[in-house]
Amino acid sequence: MAAERQRPVKYTNESLFTRHSGNPILTRDHWPYPVNSVFNAGATRLPDGDTLLLCRVEDRRGLSHLCAARSANGFDEWRVDREPTLDANPRDYPEEIWGIEDPRITYVPELEQYAIAYTSFARGGPGVSLALTRDFRSFERYGVIMSPEDKDAALLPRKIGGFWALIHRPMTTLGAHMWISYSPDLHHWGSHKIMLQARRGGWWDANKIGLCSPPIETAMGWLVLYHGVRQTASGSIYRMGLALFALDNPEICLQRGDSWMFGPETPYEHGGDVHDVVFPCGQTIGADGDTIHLYYGAGDSCVALATGSIRELLSWLDANSSVGDGSDIAGRNEDQSI
Ligand code: BMA
């Protein structure tokens, strides 16, 4: 059995992300048409400086579509589109018959477009679909790029070794791990590799993990926020952890935090339609290049905001990661320890 070596946790959750005092920042009460819930929003900054959140909106049939909200400061005074911005189109895309969910937005300088990876939901289960846009008003749909069962996907903003790279989370007989796949044209995907494995046993991120927001490129590597799903007697707890991957080869995990660094603590995170969920799908970075505004779905019912510092996240990883302790930080040794 592989030894599990653990280091003392040096920082608390609270020191890394500060919740916005106005949370939740978006609820169904902000919507110009009747909906059940608004959550799991992709995020980006527009050229005019506005923050755009592309929210997952669940209607009262239980099906989801995507709707944009714009704000000058990213905190309040949101201007919500009067109707769905990107709706399911099951006639042309049957994989969307039960709606579309959980968008992750990546601005791709080479294409001068935003790439939106989202979950399309149909009889076969959830799959990953892709759409490109310049303005969040018209969209070029690529259809399903990862067949079911797969979700939690985001495109990297630039090619790696000449190929586009997508992080995603297929469900396979190996479990629910994060994978990375490559494409020459965004249509055809291959060279699938496991990037980060769910741990096993008693860990907070045992058995099921997935990407949160799109990776953040830093001088130290790709900073990846991921969720871990803990099964308990009263249901699942969705929490967030951190890992760092090599810039030129994101299959190589350089560091992985031992403990989660953000989890449900407030009434709007503990409550809602689904209890005990924090589910970030997007962030924006401040003008200082360091401040991270993390937008997350809370309790599958509303959108909340927490603010942190990339520098502090990286130094937390330095102090709290398993790197160098002899275990495989991508989690493979955890597998063998069962
Ligand atoms: C995941 C996704 C998310 C959701 C979360 C908690 O599997 O479906 O959209 O927020 O479960 O219900």
Side-chain angles (χ1 to χ4, degrees), residues 39-40 56 101-102 151 169 208 238 274 277 279 300:
F39 53 115
N40 299 2
R56 170 178 173 187
E101 308 175 351
D102 300 356
K151 53 164 67 172
R169 204 285 310 282
K208 190 175 180 184
Y238 279 75
V274 183
V277 179
F279 202 90
D300 280 11

Side-chain angles (χ1 to χ4, degrees), residues 9 30 60-61 78 81 92 94 104 124 160 164-165 174-175 181 214 257 287 305 328:
V9 175
H30 291 84
R60 295 182 185 212
R61 298 172 300 171
W78 294 95
D81 281 359
D92 298 327
R104 273 86 169 182
I160 304 290
W164 299 110
L174 296 175
S181 301
L305 168 64
D328 178 336

Side-chain angles (χ1 to χ4, degrees), residues 24 26 86 121 128 146 291 326:
L26 279 171
L86 184 62
F121 190 23
V128 176
M146 291 293 161
T291 306

Side-chain angles (χ1 to χ4, degrees), residues 225-237:
L225 286 61
Y226 72 96
H227 61 258
V229 187
R230 176 71 177 268
Q231 303 297 335
T232 78
S234 40
S236 310
I237 308 175

